Amino acid sequence: MRNNRPAPPARLPDRNAVRPKIGLAFSGGSGKAISYVGILEVFEENNIPIDYITACSSGTIIAASYACGTLQKLKDDWLSLDKKFVLKMFELNNTKQALFSTDKFAEWLGQYVNKNFEDVTPRLGFVCADLKTATQIVLGLGDILKAGQASCAVPGLFSPIPWGNMLLADGGLVCTIPGKEAREMGADIVIGGDILGRRHVFTRKTIQFREKYNNFKESSLFWPFRFLSKQFNKFRDAVLVEQRASHGPNIFSILGNAMNIVVDIEKNEIIDNGGCDVVLTPDVKLTNKIGFSDSKNMYEEGRRVALEAIPQIRKLIAEHKA
């Protein structure tokens, strides 16, 4: 029997289906990460969708809170932080792996982050460095809080975080703007955020010192010291073998491994802008190193650079659709 019903009207394409996937890539930079709150607010106000956020170090705090839906509370609390609060976070460590423990920091961050990666949107990827294998690790499964704790663990300052067979530390050792990682997750357009102003968590002077030290160790001038060092290491290993087994590597070996990771990366090809299409650079590099005493201005600076970038971002989205 003939079907006389009219054909259904053609469906218009879903705007969300054809739009490009957008990823953010946040560097770390201590308390200066409050700038990213301003950036995210401006994107929401201008209907710029976010599908992925990759981050390292303090950038993970903002990314995690945003994905967990607590960014407004974090912003309100952050703007009231002072030096007294910062000092409370620096609880002395008793494992001999670092000067301070990250337990206090994790306790504070737990107010805003209490979910797993699998339970939030946008999708997150937190960059860390595995001190055992000297490789970059991107965490995207499991406990977001623990992953952020690992990515913020500056070697020497905070204890590295065990994760399976890995020993994870600050992602700034291996990259500062994880734009390439956001693209690998599926982003078509990647917008970076740079509040650090350099390629690694260590300064250039520190890296140069380590390079000279490594070169000296390989020279013939070092052989008397190498002989004495071997004898000392044998004695130390015999006396402290049980202590090393229970506490793991000490602060000096952790710092040495961390600096060697950075030295090796410096020899490789440098990727401009971290592979991002746009990099937002709030003018916060001249503020104090802890970065909490001027939080309001840094937040506003994040809004400023984001508003300036909106036309360029909309153009990229339109070009991708076309």
Side-chain angles (χ1 to χ4, degrees), residues 31 34-35 38 41 75 78-81 284 291-303:
I34 186 66
S35 303
E41 284 184 352
K75 169 192 167 183
W78 194 307
L79 292 177
S80 66
L81 297 180
V284 295
F292 286 107
S293 65
D294 202 21
S295 293
K296 177 64 174 177
N297 289 339
M298 290 185 283
Y299 159 75
E300 294 292 350
E301 182 64 14
R303 290 189 58 88

Side-chain angles (χ1 to χ4, degrees), residues 77-237:
D77 293 345
W78 194 307
L79 292 177
S80 66
L81 297 180
D82 55 19
K83 189 175 293 185
K84 184 178 180 180
F85 164 83
V86 175
L87 293 177
K88 285 183 179 179
M89 292 293 103
F90 287 78
E91 185 179 40
L92 290 177
N93 193 315
N94 58 6
T95 66
K96 301 185 179 179
Q97 292 187 334
L99 294 176
F100 305 101
S101 167
T102 55
D103 291 343
K104 285 283 187 181
F105 165 74
E107 181 181 343
W108 171 76
L109 188 57
Q111 304 174 71
Y112 317 98
V113 182
N114 55 6
K115 297 182 180 180
N116 289 337
F117 284 98
E118 300 90 329
D119 303 325
V120 301
T121 54
R123 285 187 56 196
L124 303 177
F126 291 174
V127 178
C128 303
D130 181 10
L131 297 179
K132 289 185 177 180
T133 60
T135 56
Q136 175 179 304
I137 303 295
V138 181
L139 300 176
L141 296 172
D143 188 348
I144 296 177
L145 177 59
K146 184 177 179 182
Q149 191 178 0
S151 189
C152 292
V154 180
L157 191 61
F158 295 114
S159 297
I161 303 299
W163 190 291
N165 295 325
M166 301 178 290
L167 191 63
L168 302 182
D170 196 312
L173 293 172
V174 286
C175 79
T176 48
I177 310 174
K180 179 172 66 70
E181 290 72 18
R183 204 173 298 279
E184 289 173 351
M185 289 179 69
D188 300 304
I189 296 172
V190 179
I191 304 165
D194 181 14
I195 55 173
L196 186 63
R198 57 178 187 264
R199 290 192 63 234
H200 305 289
V201 66
F202 293 119
T203 65
R204 184 60 201 159
K205 288 183 178 180
T206 304
I207 297 171
Q208 289 174 341
F209 174 81
R210 186 65 184 188
E211 287 175 336
K212 291 178 181 178
Y213 173 73
N214 288 346
N215 291 335
F216 176 62
K217 283 180 64 177
E218 298 300 323
S219 71
S220 59
L221 295 175
F222 190 73
W223 74 264
F225 301 97
R226 187 180 295 115
F227 173 78
L228 293 174
S229 178
K230 286 181 178 179
Q231 302 309 310
F232 173 77
N233 288 341
K234 288 180 181 179
F235 172 78
R236 180 198 60 189
D237 292 345

Side-chain angles (χ1 to χ4, degrees), residues 66-81:
Y66 178 73
C68 290
T70 61
L71 192 62
Q72 183 61 50
K73 174 175 169 52
L74 176 67
K75 169 192 167 183
D76 294 340
D77 293 345
W78 194 307
L79 292 177
S80 66
L81 297 180

